[in-house]
């Protein structure tokens, strides 16, 4: 697995700037574990900053969808990485699936190019877009939940 610190954006000096890195086995229960770890991370990383219920719910939904997709479509383990940046909450899920871009991965419905799950469409709308970065043994899917206005 690769270093999530190359996600772009400048992290705040929160907890020494250390992101959450959670290895998951890809088995049933991985989404639940990722959800719980994300809640804890947000509570600890932003103790004096009210990020707003909407942003917290958005971040939890983005994490759940990206981890669920990794568990459903990629064989083997995956890793969730979270960090706080000036842009918002950076979410990265690394898995062993192919690193190709699929129609609609930007969160928009493709026009006649095939079907894309509604989960990724929702993630695309809640974030600044979805990026898929191929790796030698899989891919990293990244999204940033922007700070609420």
């Amino acid at each position: 697995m690769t270093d999530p610190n190359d996600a772009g954006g400048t992290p705040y000096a929160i907890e020494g700037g250390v992101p959450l890195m959670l290895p998951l086995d890809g088995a049933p229960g991985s989404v639940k574990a990722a959800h719980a770890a994300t809640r804890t991370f947000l509570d600890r990383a932003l103790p004096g900053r009210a990020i707003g219920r909407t942003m917290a719910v958005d971040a939890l939904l983005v994490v759940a969808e990206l981890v669920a997709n990794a568990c459903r479509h990629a064989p083997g383990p995956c890793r969730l990485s979270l960090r706080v940046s000036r842009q918002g909450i950076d979410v990265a899920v690394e898995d062993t699936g192919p690193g190709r871009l699929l129609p609609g991965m930007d969160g928009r419905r493709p026009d006649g190019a095939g079907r894309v799950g509604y989960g990724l469409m929702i993630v695309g709308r809640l974030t600044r877009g979805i990026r898929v970065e191929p790796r030698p043994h899989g891919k990293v899917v990244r999204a940033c939940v922007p700070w609420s206005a």
Side-chain angles (χ1 to χ4, degrees):
M1 302 280 171
T2 58
D3 181 1
N5 291 322
D6 63 356
T10 305
Y12 286 108
I14 297 171
E15 292 188 2
V18 177
L20 168 74
M21 291 184 279
L22 179 68
L24 298 161
D25 60 10
S30 292
V31 175
K32 186 175 181 179
H35 191 274
T38 299
R39 277 187 175 275
T40 301
F41 174 80
L42 293 175
D43 289 343
R44 290 183 180 165
L46 303 165
R49 181 175 186 159
I51 65 169
R53 185 169 198 259
T54 300
M55 185 179 185
V57 168
D58 290 354
L60 289 166
L61 179 59
V62 167
V63 165
E65 287 295 333
L66 294 182
V67 171
N69 281 346
C71 293
R72 187 176 302 120
H73 301 294
C78 61
R79 183 175 69 182
L80 167 67
S81 300
L82 297 173
R83 71 184 197 130
V84 178
S85 73
R86 293 180 197 271
Q87 288 76 33
I89 300 166
D90 296 324
V91 180
V93 176
E94 184 171 0
D95 65 41
T96 58
R100 65 181 178 269
L101 294 173
L102 299 174
M105 288 294 283
D106 60 358
R108 293 185 218 120
R109 193 103 179 133
D111 296 326
R115 296 183 56 184
V116 63
Y118 287 108
L120 286 180
M121 289 178 63
I122 292 168
V123 169
R125 304 249 178 189
L126 295 177
T127 65
R128 297 179 182 269
I130 302 167
R131 290 190 341 251
V132 178
E133 301 171 359
R135 297 287 193 244
H137 301 289
K139 67 181 173 304
V140 179
V141 180
R142 298 188 189 278
C144 178
V145 180
W147 292 114
S148 300

